[in-house]
Amino acid sequence: MVNCGCGLLTANQEPVPLKSVDVEVAVRDHVATVSATLLYENGEQSPIEAVFIFPLPGDAAVCHFSAKIGQSEVVAEVREKQKAREEYDDALSSGQQAFLLEESEQSPDVFSLSVGSLPPGESASIRLEYVTELAVQADDGLRFCLPAVLNPRYQPRGEDGGGGTLSCGPGTSVPASLVPYSLTLSASVCSPRPIDKVESNCSLDPVQYLDQQQTRATVKLASGHKFDRDVELLLYYKDAHLPTAVVEAGRPSATPGSLMGDPVVMLSLYPEFSPLAMSSMTKSGEFLFVIDRSGSMDCPMGTAGPSQMRIDSAKETLLLLLKSLPIGCHFNIYSFGSSYTHIFPNSVVYSQKTMDEALKEIKGMKADMGGTEILEPLKHIFKQPCIPSQPRQLFVFTDGEVCNTKAVIDEVKRNAGSHRCFSFGIGEGASTALINGLAKEGGGHAQFISGADRMQPKVMQSLRYALQPAVVDISVTWDVPEGVSVTPLSPPITNLFQGQRSLIYGQLTGQSWGDAEGCVTVKYSLAGQPTQNQLRFSLQPTEDTGLTAHRLGARALICSLEAESKEQGDQSDGVKAKEKAIEVSIQSGVSSSLTAFIAVNKGSGEAVQGPLLRRHRASGSWLLESPLATALGKTLQEVESSKPESVSPEVWATVLAVTWLHGFKMDAQVEWEFLAMKAVSWLHGEKVPCLTECLRAGNLLLGCQVQESSMGM
């Protein structure tokens, strides 16, 4: 199967305009600020509009977007998404250069960048900045990953009329010698504790320490690196499990009392369980192993040199897990692809006999089950009654190549009270949004395995977590001086494990506090015993931190508000949550699913000359012309004669184009979903009174059965 890469497409479907990628990473303890500069060049004879679809970490907070064309630089601002699209369309219509950056509504780790009206022979330098938390690995290392590929995302059957197809972003994964652009990456690391070592799956120059305590260091990728695979950095600190706290000063120009104007505290907590509690590791449980056997699992774990196939690594790990289960527990093994199967009709008691039966089945497993429809086996599992006194534990192994990420995570969230979910992203390009989302909403833990990684140590850590007694009744309380208050920005903690980190964000409001201290207390019940962990911290704000904590705190708050808005729908509380999410996103300059970054280069006011070559039908509407009719497989006369009398040619052309995409091109939905959404928004803006009649006529002409609901009309 072909992996999808990142790049702008020319008319010949070649990813030529992207020339280079330069990345700077600034790591402060547990979080990273990433600045990426992408250089494009229009080698064609006319101005172009192009769409660049690319992956980012699923929990990243995009906080800056700017573009430089020649000597002119424009900095994007965050707008409500529909307003941003309208501003972009207006700019292109008047011949101005414009740039639009927006997050996919299906998966928060996929972004679309529209580059509009780039003159012939001109270069555009795009600068993107985001902040992200660093995940803790099984060996206590902190993992930073720069995704290089957007793997094909499987569109499940029955969704939007699809029949079970792979949908890809532009470009394809190619050998390193043919990658048309290079990558330079440098990282600076700063920590309150000594930096033990820095490792990578790519060649690095030697680490340069900047002080005798080895708390500051820099490292670079070796020169000549081709961006043909994910770039992974692993950072190791001494005494990594010590809790820490940072109080970050607000932006001086922001209003006091606002999120960006007040200080924000970021706490890194590692709960310590008592030896007595840890000695009561459970010997019961219902362990359900959910194994991805789609065709993509027949790919290597990594692209750098020979590596094990994904399905083989998953099988070996499953064998180890089975042999490690406690006697007397229950278990079952599910396989999924385009359909799903399970070894036993229902979960069975773990014994020598049932283990041998399962081992025999595992040895015969192949990546031969087609697509990646993970939602249906999860629904089946959640419908099964839980076994009394056997807590349900899910272990999900997948390369994470699905389009319906949010639907899968929502299903896990709805059933979070009946299970814990431990997820494993296998191979490069695994969706961070899916893997982290499953674990977060399922009260478990996420792991990523790629390249030469051995899956077994990471999986055994998750098994140890699963065997730990469940922590319940978790609460977080703040003790701060009089006149100071704390507004939590993070959602409530729903799960704790021994040695696992929890990052907590809070907005500090009130008078200046000088050398005063605050205290946070995490209380919970473990194995029937009330327990608590405390951390005292200085309230003195730290300057010049790049507002990292503010932006990550804003992202956490936005995600909570988006979830509340979705749950409440059109009810009053849902509308208020949506409005608040948009307000926080605009105020903080942090991306969300409800907003977008828009930049318009007004320059000297002179319009870009020449006909605009559009890429991927990126405009809000289509024109009723011969090229469109040809793409639809019709003559222009056939298209014109089928037009309802009451609509304009442009409305009719736009309805036909969107209908054709939904009816015949679901295999490329990741590529055109933003463009179709913009087109539907344009139709709504035109206040067309007869869209239903138009769609009915379009279906008749094209020979398809697309529904209004699937098109968002």
Side-chain angles (χ1 to χ4, degrees):
M1 187 179 67
V2 178
N3 283 344
C4 291
C6 310
L8 287 159
L9 295 185
T10 67
N12 297 323
Q13 303 294 297
E14 295 178 353
V16 172
L18 180 59
K19 294 298 183 182
S20 64
V21 180
D22 181 59
V23 178
E24 295 180 358
V25 184
V27 177
R28 288 181 179 269
D29 204 10
H30 292 275
V31 299
T33 300
V34 184
S35 299
T37 302
L38 303 96
L39 181 64
Y40 302 110
E41 184 178 292
N42 178 14
E44 299 191 27
Q45 302 302 310
S46 300
I48 65 168
E49 177 187 20
V51 176
F52 179 45
I53 297 177
F54 59 99
L56 286 179
D59 57 355
V62 178
C63 53
H64 176 89
F65 171 48
S66 60
K68 186 175 183 181
I69 304 95
Q71 298 303 311
S72 179
E73 182 175 12
V74 288
V75 178
E77 296 182 350
V78 178
R79 299 272 195 274
E80 188 275 327
K81 183 170 283 188
Q82 181 57 33
K83 291 181 180 178
R85 290 171 177 168
E86 291 172 357
E87 187 174 342
Y88 177 79
D89 285 340
D90 289 344
L92 262 60
S93 298
S94 60
Q96 294 174 323
Q97 297 157 341
F99 304 85
L100 181 71
L101 178 72
E102 51 187 326
E103 175 186 313
S104 166
E105 295 182 1
Q106 290 184 316
S107 183
D109 62 347
V110 179
F111 280 75
S112 170
L113 169 62
S114 298
V115 179
S117 291
L118 186 61
E122 187 67 89
S123 296
S125 177
I126 308 296
R127 184 169 176 269
L128 182 71
E129 184 176 309
Y130 64 88
V131 290
T132 184
E133 299 176 358
L134 301 182
V136 182
Q137 301 299 287
D139 59 359
D140 295 337
L142 295 178
R143 177 181 184 262
F144 167 77
C145 181
L146 183 70
V149 294
L150 175 59
N151 278 347
R153 298 293 172 89
Y154 187 82
Q155 179 69 38
R157 292 174 296 179
E159 293 203 4
D160 291 335
T165 56
L166 287 171
S167 60
C168 306
T172 56
S173 179
V174 295
S177 60
L178 299 180
V179 172
Y181 49 88
S182 60
L183 168 72
T184 59
L185 183 146
S186 61
S188 62
V189 185
C190 179
S191 169
R193 297 174 298 279
I195 303 161
D196 201 14
K197 59 181 177 179
V198 180
E199 296 179 347
S200 177
N201 63 332
C202 304
S203 297
L204 298 175
D205 289 342
V207 177
Q208 302 292 320
Y209 290 101
L210 304 181
D211 60 359
Q212 291 185 341
Q213 295 76 28
Q214 296 190 349
T215 59
R216 296 188 299 124
T218 60
V219 65
K220 295 181 180 180
L221 280 181
S223 61
H225 178 82
K226 292 292 186 179
F227 202 7
D228 60 327
R229 60 187 182 274
D230 291 0
V231 176
E232 185 180 70
L233 292 179
L234 295 175
L235 311 174
Y236 296 87
Y237 301 144
K238 293 180 180 177
D239 303 319
H241 282 79
L242 292 178
T244 59
V246 173
V247 175
E248 182 180 80
R251 181 186 290 142
S253 59
T255 304
S258 67
L259 172 58
M260 301 306 289
D262 283 341
V264 164
V265 59
M266 178 177 67
L267 303 174
S268 173
L269 299 177
Y270 287 90
E272 291 294 332
F273 296 169
S274 69
L276 178 61
M278 293 304 295
S279 67
S280 62
M281 298 281 277
T282 182
K283 293 181 173 56
S284 61
E286 181 190 16
F287 294 87
L288 301 177
F289 304 103
V290 185
I291 308 298
D292 187 344
R293 288 175 55 189
S294 62
S296 57
M297 289 290 287
D298 202 26
C299 294
M301 293 286 290
T303 58
S307 60
Q308 193 176 28
M309 305 304 281
R310 299 175 188 177
I311 187 65
D312 293 332
S313 182
K315 286 166 59 177
E316 286 184 7
T317 304
L318 192 51
L319 292 174
L320 177 62
L321 274 170
L322 274 182
K323 294 177 180 179
S324 304
L325 291 179
I327 291 291
C329 73
H330 289 65
F331 80 102
N332 204 348
I333 299 173
Y334 285 74
S335 297
F336 70 91
S338 297
S339 58
Y340 66 90
T341 62
H342 33 87
I343 291 181
F344 304 105
N346 301 104
S347 296
V348 296
V349 175
Y350 178 76
S351 65
Q352 185 66 47
K353 179 177 180 297
T354 55
M355 185 187 75
D356 288 343
E357 289 182 46
L359 293 178
K360 183 178 179 180
E361 293 289 332
I362 291 171
K363 290 178 180 178
M365 286 182 175
K366 297 180 181 179
D368 58 359
M369 294 185 67
T372 315
E373 297 199 17
I374 189 174
L375 186 57
E376 292 309 311
L378 291 178
K379 287 181 176 179
H380 172 83
I381 288 171
F382 296 141
K383 288 178 181 177
Q384 308 308 306
C386 292
I387 303 172
S389 303
Q390 301 285 341
R392 179 172 286 169
Q393 316 270 10
L394 262 65
F395 283 66
V396 179
F397 298 83
T398 178
D399 53 17
E401 300 173 3
V402 299
C403 277
N404 58 340
T405 299
K406 290 187 178 180
V408 173
I409 293 173
D410 287 345
E411 184 67 21
V412 170
K413 183 177 181 179
R414 278 192 294 270
N415 294 275
S418 66
H419 76 289
R420 289 195 291 189
C421 183
F422 299 86
S423 54
F424 305 88
I426 302 174
E428 293 173 359
S431 167
T432 57
L434 177 67
I435 305 305
N436 288 328
L438 288 173
K440 179 181 178 181
E441 299 300 344
H445 186 67
Q447 303 271 18
F448 290 87
I449 306 102
S450 64
D453 284 356
R454 280 181 54 77
M455 192 183 298
Q456 288 83 349
K458 296 187 177 185
V459 174
M460 293 312 293
Q461 181 195 48
S462 292
L463 179 60
R464 284 192 294 272
Y465 285 163
L467 293 174
Q468 289 179 15
V471 174
V472 297
D473 300 329
I474 304 172
S475 66
V476 177
T477 56
W478 301 83
D479 182 12
V480 291
E482 186 176 354
V484 179
S485 61
V486 180
T487 302
L489 301 174
S490 308
I493 298 176
T494 55
N495 60 281
L496 289 172
F497 298 104
Q498 171 71 24
Q500 184 187 23
R501 180 201 63 193
S502 293
L503 286 178
I504 301 175
Y505 303 92
Q507 177 182 347
L508 297 172
T509 303
Q511 301 299 316
S512 176
W513 32 71
D515 297 328
E517 283 192 339
C519 179
V520 64
T521 303
V522 180
K523 296 182 180 180
Y524 49 89
S525 180
L526 178 63
Q529 299 295 319
T531 309
Q532 70 177 37
N533 292 149
Q534 282 190 333
L535 174 64
R536 303 196 68 83
F537 58 94
S538 169
L539 289 173
Q540 184 64 43
T542 301
E543 305 287 345
D544 191 29
T545 57
L547 296 173
T548 304
H550 281 75
R551 288 162 173 163
L552 287 171
R555 178 66 173 172
L557 178 58
I558 290 168
C559 290
S560 296
L561 291 168
E562 287 176 333
E564 182 181 350
S565 171
K566 187 173 182 179
E567 289 175 2
Q568 299 294 331
D570 294 332
Q571 298 181 26
S572 175
D573 288 345
V575 173
K576 289 180 181 178
K578 181 178 180 179
E579 292 174 348
K580 181 65 174 177
I582 294 172
E583 176 188 333
V584 173
S585 177
I586 294 174
Q587 180 194 118
S588 64
V590 168
S591 61
S592 76
S593 65
L594 301 170
T595 56
F597 279 93
I598 174 68
V600 177
N601 182 25
K602 298 179 181 178
S604 63
E606 296 180 4
V608 177
Q609 300 299 312
L612 180 63
L613 300 182
R614 299 193 182 278
R615 296 292 174 259
H616 299 306
R617 310 183 192 281
S619 64
S621 62
W622 273 259
L623 298 178
L624 194 59
E625 297 176 338
S626 295
L628 174 62
T630 301
L632 300 177
K634 304 293 179 182
T635 66
L636 183 58
Q637 182 179 0
E638 287 177 310
V639 173
E640 290 177 334
S641 63
S642 302
K643 182 183 74 68
E645 292 185 4
S646 56
V647 300
S648 68
E650 195 171 3
V651 167
W652 176 232
T654 303
V655 170
L656 286 178
V658 178
T659 304
W660 180 77
L661 289 171
H662 280 275
F664 301 103
K665 289 297 176 181
M666 291 303 295
D667 59 334
Q669 188 187 16
V670 165
E671 185 174 329
W672 55 255
E673 67 166 320
F674 294 99
L675 316 179
M677 287 189 293
K678 187 190 298 184
V680 171
S681 297
W682 179 84
L683 288 170
H684 285 305
E686 292 295 296
K687 296 181 171 57
V688 181
C690 49
L691 278 179
T692 301
E693 180 188 351
C694 270
L695 180 57
R696 188 182 304 117
N699 278 323
L700 183 62
L701 174 64
L702 300 176
C704 53
Q705 295 181 336
V706 177
Q707 302 297 314
E708 285 185 71
S709 58
S710 66
M711 293 171 60
M713 291 172 56

